Amino acid sequence: MKKGDILSVQFPFTNMQVLKRRPALVVAVEAPDVTVAFITSNLDASQPYDVLLQPTALNRLKQVSLVRVVKMATLDPGLIYGRIGELTATEQQQVDAGLRLVLQLF
């Protein structure tokens, strides 16, 4: 597992009471934990720092999706079901730029 991988994970809701299985992007790995960003097909939630992903053979997403870089979680490996796909180098650069933009907001 590495930065840029798309995983199927149990992603926590903000209330930390509910988990939902969904795709997430690996943004950092510090064994054994993995920090991921939420991926959603809800395009209405788009922000300037989010990254739009088209479904490809490489990322194996089923529909057009957004990487929500402001919605991250650090997960125990037990919450990871497996690898779905990965980003291209260009998409990873866009995610990195989105992360830098978000960090400037705080």
Side-chain angles (χ1 to χ4, degrees), residues 14 21-23 27-28 30 46 49 65-66 76 79 84 86 90 96 101:
T14 53
R21 187 174 183 162
R22 60 181 319 104
V27 294
E30 189 165 324
S46 180
Y49 39 77
S65 300
L66 286 175
D76 178 85
L79 296 173
I84 297 172
E86 64 185 273
T90 300
D96 291 345
L101 183 59

Side-chain angles (χ1 to χ4, degrees), residues 60-97:
R60 297 181 55 201
L61 293 171
K62 295 177 182 171
Q63 53 194 359
V64 176
S65 300
L66 286 175
V67 177
R68 300 292 316 277
V69 296
V70 76
K71 294 200 177 267
M72 293 192 292
T74 300
L75 303 178
D76 178 85
L79 296 173
I80 299 169
Y81 292 109
R83 185 176 181 275
I84 297 172
E86 64 185 273
L87 296 185
T88 65
T90 300
E91 290 167 335
Q92 185 61 59
Q93 289 170 349
Q94 292 171 336
V95 169
D96 291 345

